[in-house]
Amino acid sequence: QVQLVESGGGLVQPGGSLRLSCAASTSIASINLMDWYRQAPGMQRELVATFTSGDSTNYVDSVKGRFTISRDNAKNTVYLQMNSLKPEDTAVYYCHAGVLYRARWYSYWGQGTQVTVSS
């Protein structure tokens, strides 16, 4: 069982920045996948940023060059630095962890944190 707690959301003006944090209840070094999703009103949840093999990262096209996913293994925390925010980035952002155990994947989600980009 992995518990995830997000923080750092809020209201920001277009062009501003926010940093989201996702604190895990267990060592993130033991978690196979950690990534950030978001869901805007009336839209499907979409994958925003993820770690691929090793420390490689991947992003949805709409955030490339503006968002950065990072992690601090010592703090069991994953971050999402969001710069040059746009109104279309407004959504609830969710941290996700995927654990492969005995050939079965287990998915864990945080409660979500609201990000609103508006003037």
Side-chain angles (χ1 to χ4, degrees), residues 25-101:
S25 61
T26 187
S27 169
I28 61 173
S30 66
I31 297 175
N32 301 91
L33 291 174
M34 287 210 72
D35 29 46
W36 287 94
Y37 284 73
R38 67 185 179 187
Q39 187 167 20
M43 303 292 285
Q44 288 190 333
R45 193 171 295 189
E46 69 169 349
L47 178 61
V48 176
T50 186
F51 287 103
T52 56
S53 59
D55 288 331
S56 297
T57 57
N58 197 27
Y59 302 89
V60 66
D61 285 346
S62 58
V63 308
K64 284 181 180 177
R66 300 188 298 121
F67 289 13
T68 303
I69 188 172
S70 63
R71 61 190 171 198
D72 186 335
N73 287 353
K75 295 182 178 180
N76 293 325
T77 301
V78 175
Y79 303 96
L80 185 66
Q81 178 67 44
M82 306 185 295
N83 299 327
S84 302
L85 282 161
K86 304 175 180 180
E88 51 264 42
D89 295 318
T90 295
V92 178
Y93 284 71
Y94 296 92
C95 181
H96 168 259
V99 178
L100 180 62
Y101 178 71

